[in-house]
Amino acid sequence: MNQSMIDIHMQVMWNRLISVVEEQAQTLIRTAFSTSVREAGDLSAGVFDLEGRMLAQAVTGTPGHVNAMAESVAHFIHDIGPENIFEGDVYITNDPWKGTGHLHDITVVTPSFHHGKLVGYFASTAHVVDVGGRGFGPDAREVYEEGLFIPIMKFFDRGQLDRTLINIVKNNVRESDKVVGDFHALAACNETGHRRLIDMLTEFNLDDLSMIGGFILKHSREATLERLRNLPHGSWSYSLDLDGYDEPVHLAAKLSIGADGVIVDFDGTSGMSKFGINVPLVYAKAYACYGIKCVVAPDIPNNAASLAPFEVTAPEGCILNAKRPAPVAVRHVLGHFVPDLVLGALHKALPGQVPAEGASALWNLHMSVRPVPGNDAKGAEILMFNSGGSGARTALDGLNATAFPSGVHTMPIEATENVGPVIVWRKELREGSGGAGAQRGGLGQMIEIEAAEGFTFRFSAMFDRISHPARGRDGGLDGAAGGVGLDDGTTLKGKGLQFVPEGRRLVLSLPGGGGYGDPANRPTEAVSHDLQHGYITKEQAALYGKPGGKA
């Protein structure tokens, strides 16, 4: 067989391996108990070689989970110990510094054996609805308050379930059936991946993953380095100011591109917060790499080798390199801004290729719904994912109500109302929230939620872009800032635990994305289309066609 035929054969197996992990992810979606996994796709799945290097990831999933999980499997191998890894084992953790950044993410790793020989590992991560403690929110002062911390340990030992672990979990979380159910769903999805891998190895007459793994890693690294050689080399900086919790947070990045790799340095970033908005470096690195890859190498498969040329550093103890026991429950809020941060620097190196800033951070809403006195009905813990608008692209408008960079789906109203006594009265695009520009920023949403009759709810706010809206680029205007309040006009805080009394509605005004390019250059027909469909107001329409979008 000549080299060309060998390469084709390897490519077929590579594609097959990707389909294996995609089926792994779909199994998790079908069996998960939490709506955040089942409806929104807040998960990751992948296959790893004997050294813990990620060979392939499922397309389904979020960059924060996938790229953080890419580092976590090596921790599992080290902490369990190669001599203690057996067929039938399943391992588990929610360690924020060895997993994916906070306690609500459960990572499960399963060794895969073929003919009695260890050939690799399957790993998966999912966000569970509750881990005890204060609940999902930013109010804790230490990680110990944020919930149950599960170190890397065995969930199944040679096929035997650790019932002590399950008993501890059941007695420390509010939604024990859902949480334990998700543990088993994670193990089941890894088992699906393992079975499909064995089918593949048998079909292609392979003893292990060494041959196809070597091909994947070699070609992915070469392709990534080729892209880097064709980029301008040098250093560029960018910064963002964000709401924070009790005081603004400053994020800074210096991006250095060379022929052999990219270095992102977060020197100049604010120090750690006393609240749970801190970010472990593994999570900040995951999103920094994703932001770069979106522009530099979007079509190169994501694996250990294509990630290897990217190095991320940060001063120890800064808010993007938080150390234990810092509270990190809502690390996603600042973590989701890291792509905008590195893309801002990349824009200076590659003008005309990078979109404007977007809403970025998800407006996750965790509601604890409780019956009023005299109502014997059961309460519920409800997690709802919501997205603002993404930044306008260089040749296209921003995406409305779209989760960039996390990539999770918007959760249907019906799914939210089905899991607890709440009513979503309003969920619609927010008129006029996208920044004006030659390309308009994506729109945010307007959402109104009320507890059902006989119930009240408290919620953990974990929102940003209220005081610091998304900035436009190259003459584009800023997107609209976000807002939180009640339907009687009461203004609420953007972060922290708050109460919605019976009969009142929580009103969320999600931020829009920034515009790209001078609004004077937007085609007249595009302005008319936006006005007709309620994307912009009449007042905004009057700004188009005028230099700088000024009245």
Side-chain angles (χ1 to χ4, degrees):
M1 187 181 295
N2 60 35
Q3 188 60 48
S4 178
M5 290 298 296
I6 292 173
D7 287 349
I8 292 173
H9 188 65
M10 287 291 188
Q11 189 65 54
V12 169
M13 288 192 288
W14 190 348
N15 291 339
R16 176 69 174 276
L17 196 59
I18 292 173
S19 72
V20 165
V21 291
E22 187 60 29
E23 186 168 349
Q24 176 193 0
Q26 292 302 320
T27 298
L28 180 54
I29 289 173
R30 289 194 298 269
T31 59
F33 284 64
S34 296
T35 52
S36 59
V37 180
R38 191 175 64 248
E39 302 291 344
D42 192 18
L43 60 96
S44 64
V47 60
F48 297 72
D49 69 8
L50 293 174
E51 296 179 37
R53 296 176 298 184
M54 186 169 69
L55 300 180
Q57 63 146 103
V59 176
T60 303
T62 71
H65 281 165
V66 170
N67 289 349
M69 190 180 71
E71 290 196 17
S72 69
V73 175
H75 291 301
F76 276 86
I77 296 171
H78 176 270
D79 288 10
I80 296 294
E83 71 280 5
N84 297 316
I85 294 174
F86 304 106
E87 195 164 0
D89 281 1
V90 181
Y91 315 125
I92 192 168
T93 194
N94 66 344
D95 184 331
W97 290 270
K98 293 183 178 180
T100 61
H102 69 172
L103 296 177
H104 277 78
D105 284 349
I106 305 297
T107 298
V108 169
V109 173
T110 304
S112 182
F113 286 79
H114 184 44
H115 297 314
K117 173 186 174 184
L118 180 64
V119 295
Y121 300 87
F122 282 90
S124 54
T125 300
H127 182 109
V128 298
V129 68
D130 184 60
V131 288
R134 282 178 172 261
F136 189 29
D139 293 297
R141 301 301 180 92
E142 291 182 308
V143 72
Y144 306 115
E145 300 176 45
E146 294 183 324
L148 185 64
F149 189 121
I150 304 171
I152 291 176
M153 61 179 293
K154 291 193 176 186
F155 179 23
F156 285 83
D157 187 352
R158 306 190 208 199
Q160 295 298 310
L161 174 67
D162 188 331
R163 298 190 181 278
T164 300
L165 169 64
I166 298 303
N167 194 30
I168 290 171
V169 171
K170 283 185 174 181
N171 285 278
N172 280 276
V173 304
R174 299 171 181 87
E175 299 274 1
S176 60
D177 289 345
K178 291 180 181 179
V179 173
V180 173
D182 281 341
F183 281 19
H184 286 281
L186 286 158
C189 89
N190 285 357
E191 177 63 20
T192 295
H194 160 69
R195 291 179 181 181
R196 295 298 173 265
L197 175 64
I198 299 308
D199 291 343
M200 172 187 161
L201 295 178
T202 302
E203 180 181 338
F204 290 101
N205 195 28
L206 298 175
D207 293 327
D208 53 39
L209 285 168
S210 59
M211 183 171 65
I212 182 60
F215 178 85
I216 289 171
L217 297 177
K218 175 178 181 292
H219 284 264
S220 297
R221 183 174 179 82
E222 288 176 352
T224 303
L225 290 175
E226 182 181 357
R227 297 291 176 85
L228 295 180
R229 285 192 288 269
N230 294 325
L231 294 176
H233 295 165
S235 297
W236 299 267
S237 298
Y238 195 72
S239 64
L240 288 172
D241 289 304
L242 301 167
D243 299 354
Y245 190 110
D246 54 340
E247 58 184 9
V249 169
H250 183 74
L251 303 184
K254 180 180 179 182
L255 180 76
S256 300
I257 303 175
D260 297 325
V262 177
I263 300 173
V264 179
D265 186 357
F266 293 128
D267 188 29
T269 291
S270 294
M272 288 193 302
S273 170
K274 58 187 176 183
F275 298 100
I277 60 174
N278 299 293
V279 188
L281 184 59
V282 64
Y283 193 77
K285 180 178 179 181
Y287 271 111
C289 293
Y290 174 69
I292 297 167
K293 287 198 68 174
C294 280
V295 173
V296 173
D299 54 342
I300 297 175
N302 197 52
N303 53 52
S306 61
L307 291 170
F310 305 113
E311 180 183 350
V312 179
T313 64
E316 187 170 315
C318 80
I319 205 165
L320 294 179
N321 187 10
K323 296 301 181 182
R324 185 175 178 178
V328 292
V330 300
R331 53 72 171 119
H332 68 277
V333 174
L334 296 185
H336 286 176
F337 285 108
V338 170
D340 263 347
L341 184 64
V342 297
L343 286 172
L346 199 56
H347 166 69
K348 297 178 180 180
L350 299 169
Q353 298 185 41
V354 175
E357 293 178 9
S360 297
L362 289 169
W363 276 45
N364 289 347
L365 180 64
H366 188 105
M367 296 172 279
S368 296
V369 187
R370 298 290 181 265
V372 298
N375 180 2
D376 295 330
K378 185 180 179 182
E381 300 294 315
I382 303 173
L383 178 59
M384 185 181 183
F385 286 3
N386 305 294
S387 306
S390 70
R393 294 159 288 179
T394 57
L396 295 168
D397 291 343
L399 298 170
N400 301 327
T402 298
F404 177 85
S406 75
V408 299
H409 307 301
T410 293
M411 297 169 72
I413 290 172
E414 295 81 1
T416 299
E417 294 179 336
N418 186 56
V419 296
V422 295
I423 302 169
V424 182
W425 289 105
R426 183 183 181 196
K427 195 171 191 289
E428 63 188 30
L429 294 179
R430 182 184 173 196
E431 183 183 34
S433 55
Q439 310 297 336
R440 175 184 43 75
L443 274 60
Q445 301 179 65
M446 290 297 302
I447 301 173
E448 288 189 26
I449 303 174
E450 180 184 2
E453 185 177 355
F455 292 86
T456 62
F457 73 92
R458 62 179 185 176
F459 73 98
S460 287
M462 42 192 111
F463 313 135
D464 214 284
R465 292 279 194 216
I466 294 174
S467 300
H468 298 83
R471 292 177 293 186
R473 205 179 301 284
D474 281 0
L477 304 188
D478 295 350
V484 187
L486 300 180
D487 59 340
D488 62 1
T490 301
T491 298
L492 299 179
K493 298 183 297 180
K495 292 186 179 69
L497 187 65
Q498 293 161 94
F499 180 71
V500 179
E502 185 182 13
R504 290 267 68 90
R505 298 180 185 179
L506 174 64
V507 180
L508 303 178
S509 304
L510 274 65
Y516 194 101
D518 194 325
N521 296 327
R522 187 163 179 80
T524 302
E525 58 271 21
V527 177
S528 299
H529 175 274
D530 285 354
L531 186 60
Q532 179 183 354
H533 288 80
Y535 294 162
I536 61 175
T537 64
K538 290 182 180 180
E539 292 74 18
Q540 282 180 311
L543 300 180
Y544 285 100
K546 299 177 181 179
K550 298 178 180 178

